[in-house]
Amino acid sequence: MKIKRLLKWLIGFLGIAIFIIGSYAIYVFAAYYRLPDHIILNPNNNQPVKLQPHRQYTAMTYNIGYGAYPPKYSFFMDGGKYSLAFSRHAVEKNMAGIIETANRVAPDLAFFQEIDVNGDRSRHVNEVRQLTKQTSEYSSLYGQNYDSPYLFYPITEPIGRAKSGLLTLVKAHINTATRYSLPIDKGISKLTDLDRAFTAAQVPVNNGKTLTIINIHMSAYTKNKATQRAQFQKLFNYLEQKYRQGNYVMVAGDYNHTILKNSNRIFKDGNQKLTWTHPFPDQQLPKGFYRPTQGLKQAAVPSVRNLNTAYHPHHSFVTMIDGYILSKNIKAIKIKVVNTHFKDSDHNPVLLRFSLK
């Protein structure tokens, strides 16, 4: 009798467990959605200023890691410990440091990636609102990258829900702006690498032309190289189209591909082969485009660290995956990485001094 009762109890327990797991799986797939391609975006606080040719401007691109990554932080998807920011105070402190860096640089154009509107991982700090409040002299443009359902992993500290995207700031008028979806994996891995997109804004220049500025954050954790190639192809097709229309074209962001040849030698960190360290596909760049990299090799300041452990100078894996793509009618005067020693994010900002020909 005891054995029968035990079996009934085990069967009941297994039934409940299967029901819970099945219900959760149904919820995740039912709640998952992708925004449609080609969404018109509305800029906020739109400024009246037009850009000018032959004048020097500064751009900054900065993946802020949703304000959750101080030097002591490691991330579970990279083999580290944590999934959530240490606390709301920690996020606000990191955001204050990010804003301080941006104000010190005072760029004319700023491109932020991985900035949360709301998320369990970022302790529900509205980072877009916090940053735009401190940058009132800019036109601002937000485009959603993803709105993830509640992800119950790791089980000990679930990463939960996250609504995150791309924020572009420019000290000039934005005529029009659009969000374009990028190709992603179709299998279950889409739940971990999430949705992807880029935003494109059309900024008028007082010679009658337009500067197209693109903010992008490409897939990091997909093992499917075909997905990565398809993302680049969609981006490159768009660049080519805009350049043929006579526009100046600038792309800024996190490509999750190394942008310097022989990165392992430059940063003296070995040849780690991760899903986000494949070489940038320079051979696929459309005609009329280039990537400014002058002086980056000599300076050897990385733009990203691996989050498998806390940051240890001279020991942590570092490389460079953030930067710019420019049409040849834009002159790159100087490019450099601001060495914040990863104080507020797992990335360092990359600055570009440029002029429109």
Side-chain angles (χ1 to χ4, degrees), residues 262-316:
N262 301 317
S263 292
N264 57 316
R265 296 179 185 176
I266 295 169
F267 299 110
K268 301 176 182 179
D269 50 22
N271 190 19
Q272 287 198 32
K273 295 190 176 183
L274 306 170
T275 54
W276 46 272
T277 60
H278 301 301
F280 188 97
D282 285 298
Q283 68 282 1
Q284 296 175 26
L285 269 177
K287 186 178 180 180
F289 286 87
Y290 71 104
R291 291 191 306 104
T293 58
Q294 60 266 35
L296 295 178
K297 177 181 177 181
Q298 292 77 9
V301 179
S303 74
V304 66
R305 72 174 179 95
N306 196 1
L307 286 164
N308 59 327
T309 66
Y311 177 58
H312 300 287
H314 311 299
H315 295 288
S316 292

Side-chain angles (χ1 to χ4, degrees), residues 98-315:
I98 289 161
I99 292 167
E100 181 184 0
T101 297
N103 287 339
R104 184 171 67 251
V105 171
D108 301 286
L109 297 85
F111 305 83
F112 297 94
Q113 303 86 38
E114 213 159 8
I115 180 166
D116 281 8
V117 175
N118 188 20
D120 294 302
R121 63 185 190 176
S122 49
R123 304 294 182 173
H124 304 285
V125 175
N126 188 329
E127 297 167 350
V128 173
R129 183 169 59 196
Q130 186 173 351
L131 205 155
T132 52
K133 272 187 175 181
Q134 302 296 320
T135 52
S136 59
E137 70 273 30
Y138 293 86
S139 303
S140 67
L141 181 73
Y142 172 78
Q144 179 180 304
N145 224 5
Y146 49 80
D147 182 5
S148 167
Y150 192 95
L151 300 179
F152 204 86
Y153 68 91
I155 294 174
T156 54
E157 188 184 61
I159 195 169
R161 294 198 65 163
K163 190 171 185 178
S164 187
L166 308 160
L167 178 67
T168 303
L169 305 177
V170 55
K171 289 181 178 177
H173 190 75
I174 296 175
N175 279 342
T176 60
T178 310
R179 176 199 185 273
Y180 296 95
S181 297
L182 286 169
I184 62 168
D185 286 345
K186 295 180 180 179
I188 195 169
S189 60
K190 70 183 181 182
L191 300 175
T192 56
D193 200 39
L194 308 176
D195 201 355
R196 295 289 165 177
F198 66 85
T199 62
Q202 313 303 324
V203 179
V205 183
N206 68 1
N207 61 0
K209 293 188 176 184
T210 298
L211 169 64
T212 298
I213 53 174
I214 297 162
N215 194 346
I216 194 166
H217 183 197
M218 305 181 86
S219 288
Y221 295 111
T222 180
K223 296 179 181 179
N224 189 344
K225 291 184 180 180
T227 297
Q228 294 175 323
R229 287 194 297 269
Q231 290 185 354
F232 275 113
Q233 192 58 58
K234 180 157 185 179
L235 173 66
F236 292 164
N237 287 344
Y238 181 79
L239 304 188
E240 192 170 30
Q241 172 194 347
K242 288 300 176 182
Y243 186 55
R244 284 179 177 176
Q245 292 173 357
N247 293 12
Y248 305 98
V249 185
M250 172 185 292
V251 186
D254 176 355
Y255 305 101
N256 276 307
H257 282 66
T258 54
I259 64 172
L260 294 177
K261 294 180 180 179
N262 301 317
S263 292
N264 57 316
R265 296 179 185 176
I266 295 169
F267 299 110
K268 301 176 182 179
D269 50 22
N271 190 19
Q272 287 198 32
K273 295 190 176 183
L274 306 170
T275 54
W276 46 272
T277 60
H278 301 301
F280 188 97
D282 285 298
Q283 68 282 1
Q284 296 175 26
L285 269 177
K287 186 178 180 180
F289 286 87
Y290 71 104
R291 291 191 306 104
T293 58
Q294 60 266 35
L296 295 178
K297 177 181 177 181
Q298 292 77 9
V301 179
S303 74
V304 66
R305 72 174 179 95
N306 196 1
L307 286 164
N308 59 327
T309 66
Y311 177 58
H312 300 287
H314 311 299
H315 295 288

Side-chain angles (χ1 to χ4, degrees), residues 327-341:
S327 54
K328 288 187 176 179
N329 51 8
I330 300 178
K331 180 182 178 181
I333 299 165
K334 184 178 181 181
I335 185 169
K336 73 170 186 175
V337 182
V338 178
N339 194 354
T340 67
H341 304 283

